[in-house]
């Protein structure tokens, strides 16, 4: 069969197919659908900040579309318009906005922020307001004025801290802290030794306490065995006898009672004792007056 295409035509056809495949392949690699059925919307930005065609569009973290094109108005240079294609199933309320966001790796995307009324929807071809999400770097930039205002105060605080640290009292206090720490370590060691000693002595102490408790129990049992009633009766009897003797001493009955109560009898007895004492003294001094012995018989005196 004779070939109806010359080599030149075949090469041209292969090249044409290659160009078509390359075109659609590039669109596919960029994230653009080959035969798009998405609804197109427009987003106006004052600063587009890296948004380009094929940037993904997310709603609540889910990819719902892609940036199809970016239009720059060279005449007015006021607004930059991005054409985004969104899934037909997406219901976009009015007053929705689109924010430019970027991650730590620098990848740029659009985040849709839905309006409050889900019943009042936008139509394809409507325009959304776009803005740039501040992110972590933007928040840091917003904090720079406050940080600048704080710098003089920080300098003053650091100066005061330096003055405080240069004070010799700080070194002395730290030295005292070291001494206190050393003393605490010594005290802790002594407490440990004391605790060990108490642990060793505790069994013997407990044994003595048990013996003391046993003795106390025995004493209590002995006390309970005593006849308290009989003992009290004997004590009462003894007290009655003492009372009777005391009564007799206070009365005029008996010798002791008379001696304690009769003064005349006491004086007579004292006088008699005095005479007896004089007689004994005279007897010692002149015994021959009262006793006389003679071998040859009695002589007349």
């Amino acid at each position: 069969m004779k070939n109806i295409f010359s080599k030149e035509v075949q090469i041209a056809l292969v090249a044409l197919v290659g160009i078509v495949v390359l075109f659609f392949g590039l669109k596919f690699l960029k994230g653009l659908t080959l035969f798009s059925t998405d609804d197109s919307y427009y987003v106006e930005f004052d600063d587009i900040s890296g948004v380009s065609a094929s940037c993904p569009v997310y709603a609540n973290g889910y990819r719902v579309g892609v940036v199809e094109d970016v239009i720059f108005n060279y005449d007015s240079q006021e607004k930059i318009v991005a054409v985004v294609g969104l899934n037909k199933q997406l219901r976009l309320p009015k007053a929705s906005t689109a924010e430019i966001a970027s991650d730590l790796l620098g990848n740029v995307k659009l985040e849709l922020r839905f309006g409050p009324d889900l019943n009042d929807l936008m139509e394809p071809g409507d325009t959304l307001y776009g803005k740039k999400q501040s992110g972590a770097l933007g928040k840091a930039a917003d904090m720079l004025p406050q940080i600048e205002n704080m710098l003089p105060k920080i300098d003053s605080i650091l100066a005061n801290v330096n003055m405080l640290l240069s004070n010799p009292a700080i070194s002395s206090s730290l030295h005292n802290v070291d001494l206190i720490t050393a003393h605490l370590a010594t005290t802790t060691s002594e407490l440990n030794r004391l605790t060990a000693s108490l642990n060793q002595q505790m069994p013997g102490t407990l044994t003595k306490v048990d013996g003391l408790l046993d003795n106390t129990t025995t004493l209590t049992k002995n006390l309970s065995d005593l006849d308290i009633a009989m003992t009290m009766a004997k004590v009462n009897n003894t007290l009655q006898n003492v009372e009777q003797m005391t009564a007799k001493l206070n009365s005029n009955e008996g010798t002791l009672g008379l001696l304690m109560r009769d003064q005349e009898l006491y004086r007579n007895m004292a006088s008699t004792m005095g005479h007896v004492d004089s007689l004994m003294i005279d007897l010692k001094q002149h015994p021959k007056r009262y006793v006389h012995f003679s071998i040859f018989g009695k002589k007349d005196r």
Side-chain angles (χ1 to χ4, degrees), residues 262-275:
D262 192 348
Q263 295 183 359
E264 185 65 26
L265 178 59
Y266 172 76
R267 285 195 292 270
N268 290 335
M269 289 185 68
S271 178
T272 302
M273 292 301 296
H275 290 116

Side-chain angles (χ1 to χ4, degrees), residues 10-300:
Q10 292 178 0
I11 293 173
L13 291 175
V14 171
L16 181 61
V17 172
I19 293 172
V20 172
V21 172
L22 179 62
F23 174 76
F24 287 106
L26 290 175
K27 290 179 69 67
F28 177 78
L29 292 175
K30 290 181 179 181
L32 300 175
T33 56
L34 300 180
F35 302 100
S36 176
T37 58
D38 295 339
D39 293 333
S40 296
Y41 295 85
Y42 299 94
V43 184
E44 291 185 345
F45 291 98
D46 294 326
D47 183 359
I48 202 163
S49 297
V51 174
S52 60
S54 75
C55 284
V57 180
Y58 290 87
N60 298 328
Y62 183 78
R63 180 167 177 168
V64 294
V66 67
V67 176
E68 296 178 346
D69 194 9
V70 177
I71 302 173
F72 181 74
N73 190 346
Y74 289 94
D75 295 330
S76 63
Q77 299 182 358
E78 293 180 356
K79 298 291 184 180
I80 302 175
V81 178
V83 182
V84 296
L86 302 179
N87 193 299
K88 286 183 174 293
Q89 298 179 356
L90 180 66
R91 301 173 62 192
L92 191 62
K94 289 185 178 180
S96 297
T97 60
E99 295 182 357
I100 301 174
S102 60
D103 55 20
L104 296 177
L105 298 178
N107 298 319
V108 180
K109 62 182 179 179
L110 290 183
E111 286 281 354
L112 294 178
R113 304 299 179 190
F114 295 125
D117 191 359
L118 295 178
N119 295 320
D120 190 8
L121 302 178
M122 299 180 68
E123 297 293 335
D126 289 345
T127 302
L128 290 76
Y129 174 72
K131 60 182 179 179
K132 184 178 180 181
Q133 192 180 66
S134 59
L137 295 177
K139 294 179 180 179
D142 295 337
M143 292 175 61
L144 286 178
Q146 299 178 2
I147 295 175
E148 291 178 355
N149 294 330
M150 291 174 60
L151 287 178
K153 297 180 180 179
I154 294 176
D155 292 338
S156 177
I157 293 172
L158 291 177
N160 293 330
V161 170
N162 290 330
M163 291 177 60
L164 181 63
L165 293 177
S166 62
N167 193 336
I170 297 296
S171 301
S172 178
S173 299
L174 293 176
H175 180 67
N176 293 333
V177 169
D178 292 337
L179 292 177
I180 292 172
T181 304
H183 292 163
L184 287 175
T186 304
T187 303
T188 303
S189 177
E190 293 177 355
L191 286 175
N192 291 333
R193 289 198 296 269
L194 178 61
T195 303
S197 177
L198 289 175
N199 291 333
Q200 294 176 357
Q201 297 177 3
M202 188 60 67
T205 304
L206 293 177
T207 303
K208 293 181 180 178
V209 170
D210 292 337
L212 179 61
L213 291 176
D214 293 338
N215 295 334
T216 303
T217 304
T218 303
L219 177 61
T220 304
K221 185 176 181 302
N222 293 334
L223 289 175
S224 63
D225 293 339
L226 291 176
D227 192 350
I228 302 299
M230 183 179 291
T231 303
M232 294 303 298
K234 291 180 180 180
V235 171
N236 291 332
N237 190 18
T238 303
L239 291 176
Q240 289 177 359
N241 292 333
V242 172
E243 289 179 355
Q244 292 177 2
M245 184 179 68
T246 304
K248 288 182 179 181
L249 288 175
N250 291 330
S251 65
N252 293 329
E253 299 178 359
T255 305
L256 291 176
L258 291 173
L259 287 174
M260 293 178 64
R261 307 289 295 181
D262 192 348
Q263 295 183 359
E264 185 65 26
L265 178 59
Y266 172 76
R267 285 195 292 270
N268 290 335
M269 289 185 68
S271 178
T272 302
M273 292 301 296
H275 290 116
V276 171
D277 186 55
S278 298
L279 179 59
M280 293 301 294
I281 292 173
D282 186 63
L283 179 62
K284 289 180 179 180
Q285 292 178 354
H286 306 285
K288 292 182 179 180
R289 291 182 182 177
Y290 303 94
V291 180
H292 180 70
F293 296 94
S294 177
I295 300 175
F296 302 101
K298 183 180 179 182
K299 288 185 177 180
D300 294 335

